[in-house]
Amino acid sequence: METYQVHITEENNKGKAYIGTNAKPLAAMTYSKAGNDLIIIDHTEVDQSLRGQNIGRQLLDALVAMARNKGIKIMPLCPYAKSVFDKDNSLKDVLK
């Protein structure tokens, strides 16, 4: 499985982890900031060319690492992110 470079960008109260370019990402997981200590993951999208390569998990892992680094929590409203949080107990420390 190939590992891609995941970038994280924030503008105002919105952010995203993405692969590719900011203007045209091949995969992205978007979130909203709720105050200074919570992000809400609301959407995950992966280009057909990258499907089946665990790309969504790579994006989520990047946001989990960011949350741990900043000492913030994550509320996963996106069905994909929620399903990963439900299955993986190692992520519970950042779950809101």
Side-chain angles (χ1 to χ4, degrees):
M1 179 183 77
E2 188 170 348
T3 301
Y4 293 88
Q5 177 70 43
V6 177
H7 307 278
I8 298 176
T9 183
E10 289 184 356
E11 188 173 326
N12 301 321
N13 287 331
K14 300 281 188 188
K16 69 180 172 185
Y18 66 93
I19 291 169
T21 66
N22 190 16
K24 190 169 168 114
L26 291 171
M29 182 173 283
T30 60
Y31 63 90
S32 298
K33 292 169 68 177
N36 293 323
D37 58 355
L38 177 68
I39 63 170
I40 301 167
I41 297 175
D42 51 29
H43 184 70
T44 304
E45 192 165 334
V46 177
D47 186 79
Q48 192 66 37
S49 67
L50 296 178
R51 296 261 167 99
Q53 298 183 49
N54 246 2
I55 299 301
R57 181 61 193 247
Q58 290 180 40
L59 297 171
L60 182 61
D61 286 346
L63 291 181
V64 167
M66 179 194 75
R68 287 177 176 148
N69 186 43
K70 291 182 172 184
I72 62 176
K73 298 290 185 184
I74 296 174
M75 181 183 296
L77 295 185
C78 159
Y80 171 77
K82 182 174 178 356
S83 74
V84 175
F85 272 94
D86 288 346
K87 294 176 196 163
D88 190 342
N89 285 331
S90 73
L91 304 176
K92 299 293 187 210
D93 62 307
V94 295
L95 181 62
K96 174 71 175 170

